Amino acid sequence: MTYIKAKATITAYSSDGSIYSVAPHAVVPVNSNEDIISALITAKKDNLAVSVRGGGTGLSGGALGNGIVLDMSGYNKILDIDVSKRMVLTQPGVIYDELNIFLKKFSLFFPPDPSSGDSCQIGGMLANNSSGPRSVKYGLTSDFVEELAVIRPSGKLITLKKLRLDSTDLVTFLSKNPEYQKIHDILQRNKELILSRWPRVKKNSAGYNLRQVTENLGRGILNLPALYVGSEGTLGVFVSAKLSLLPIPTEILTARLYFKSLVKAGEAALDIQPLGPSGLEMVDGST
Ligand SMILES: Cc1cc2nc3c(=O)[nH]c(=O)nc-3n(C[C@H](O)[C@H](O)[C@H](O)COP(=O)(O)OP(=O)(O)OC[C@H]3O[C@@H](n4cnc5c(N)ncnc54)[C@H](O)[C@@H]3O)c2cc1C
C-alpha cells in the first residue's frame, strides 16, 4: 500500500465537484483489494475515517474526508464481457465514457448516462445511483447491476447477487452472512410503509435504495446489489461490478424545442412522455 501525505496530493484531494473543502490525512492509490484492506486496518489502528474517491465529480462532497482517501482511479480494468448474455464485468475505476467506447465494438451500451460521463467512474455511479437524461426511458444505474463485489468496513470481501427467496443459494448466503437476514426481515415488515411513502418519480437517488429492494422482495427476489447501489460509499468499497447492457439503438432522432418559460417546458415534458422518448434534457440560458 502506498500512503501519500505530500502537500500537493493533500491539496488535490481536498476538493471535488461540490462546494466543500476537506483536507485528507493521507491518500492511498488503490491497485488491488489488498491496498483497500491494508488501508482499512491502518485507519482502524489510527482511528481515522475512510472515504472512497472515484472521479471526484460528485456534487455533495462524498469523496472528501479528513482521514484516508482511497483513490480508485487506478483500479480501472474491464475484466470480462459476455456478448450473448449482454453482461460486462468491470473494476470500479473505469470512466463511464470509456466503458461505452469499449462496448460500442460489440454494439452494446451501458444506458445510465450522467452528464459528467467523461470523467465520472463506474464506482461513483454505483455509489450515487447515477443516471442522466436517458433515465426517462432506461432508469438508474441500480437497474443494470447484476452482481457487486464489495469490501466491507471490516475488510471482508463479499459478493452480492440477486437471490430468489425460495432458493438454496439464499439459505447458504444467509447462513454465512446472518446480518442480511435482519435486513430482509426489517424490509419485509415495513414494505407497505416504504412503498407508500417513496416519492413517485422516475429518478430519485436520495437515501438508501429501499424502494427497489422492497419492490423486488414483492417479486420473490432479495436484490442485494440494489441495497448497496446509492449508498454513497457508506456501506463498503465496490471492487467490481457485473453490469447488464443493452443493444445500441439502430436509429436515433433528436429534436430541440424552445419554450418561453420553465413551466411551459415542464408541461411539455409530460406531454412528450406518451411518445416514449429515450432521453430528455433541459438546457436553460445559463447552462
Ligand atoms: C457537470 C456535472 C454533471 C453531472 N451530471 C450528473 C447527472 O446527470 N446525473 C447524476 O446522477 N449525477 C451527475 N453529476 C454528479 C456526479 O458526477 C455523478 O453522481 C457521478 O456518477 C459521480 O461519480 P464519480 O466517479 O465522480 O464519484 P465521486 O465524486 O468520486 O464519488 C461519489 C460518491 O461515490 C463514492 N464512491 C466512488 N467510488 C466508489 C467505490 N469504488 N466504492 C464505493 N463508493 C465509491 C464516494 O465515496 C462518494 O460518496 C454531475 C456532476 C457534474 C460535476
Side-chain angles (χ1 to χ4, degrees), residues 53-282:
R53 185 183 181 100
T57 66
L59 301 170
S60 51
L64 306 179
N66 61 6
I68 296 176
V69 168
L70 299 175
D71 176 359
M72 303 302 289
S73 54
Y75 219 21
N76 60 354
K77 290 195 179 55
I78 297 170
L79 300 170
D80 195 15
I81 177 149
D82 186 330
V83 177
S84 61
K85 288 192 180 149
R86 295 186 194 150
M87 297 274 183
V88 68
L89 180 67
T90 179
Q91 289 182 337
V94 172
I95 303 276
Y96 170 76
D97 277 0
E98 287 174 6
L99 178 65
N100 271 338
I101 288 168
F102 168 79
L103 295 172
K104 201 171 177 187
K105 287 183 268 183
F106 307 97
S107 303
L108 295 169
F109 78 123
F110 179 54
D113 60 336
S115 306
S116 52
D118 60 354
S119 42
C120 75
Q121 298 175 5
I122 297 302
M125 288 183 66
L126 291 163
N128 283 0
N129 200 3
S130 298
S131 67
R134 288 202 290 248
S135 60
V136 68
K137 174 166 182 179
Y138 297 108
L140 284 73
T141 295
S142 59
D143 295 312
F144 294 87
V145 184
E146 292 303 313
E147 235 177 82
L148 209 50
V150 183
I151 296 183
R152 301 286 320 272
S154 62
K156 180 176 169 182
L157 173 67
I158 186 166
T159 300
L160 303 161
K161 300 182 185 181
K162 297 176 182 176
L163 298 172
R164 290 211 58 85
L165 295 180
D166 54 7
S167 67
T168 48
D169 285 349
L170 181 65
V171 177
T172 311
F173 178 83
L174 292 178
S175 67
K176 288 187 193 150
N177 305 283
E179 64 275 25
Y180 292 91
Q181 179 72 56
K182 280 193 202 155
I183 294 171
H184 164 269
D185 295 349
I186 292 170
L187 291 174
Q188 283 286 20
R189 268 203 311 279
N190 294 286
K191 64 183 172 202
E192 263 111 52
L193 179 67
I194 293 167
L195 294 177
S196 67
R197 296 290 176 87
W198 211 267
R200 294 274 134 210
V201 292
K202 289 234 175 192
K203 183 182 187 302
N204 175 13
S205 40
Y208 292 112
N209 187 11
L210 300 184
R211 178 197 60 81
Q212 189 179 8
V213 183
T214 309
E215 277 179 358
N216 280 206
L217 278 180
R219 293 184 203 119
I221 295 164
L222 182 58
N223 188 342
L224 290 164
L227 189 63
Y228 277 71
V229 176
S231 61
E232 301 211 13
T234 59
L235 298 181
V237 186
F238 306 140
V239 292
S240 72
K242 191 186 273 187
L243 307 171
S244 59
L245 310 167
L246 288 177
I248 294 176
T250 46
E251 288 175 48
I252 295 174
L253 178 73
T254 306
R256 187 160 54 176
L257 308 173
Y258 293 87
F259 299 94
K260 287 210 182 319
S261 72
L262 268 181
V263 173
K264 291 259 178 263
E267 287 167 359
L270 291 177
D271 293 342
I272 291 166
Q273 294 286 336
L275 301 175
S278 58
L280 276 179
E281 175 89 293
M282 198 208 68

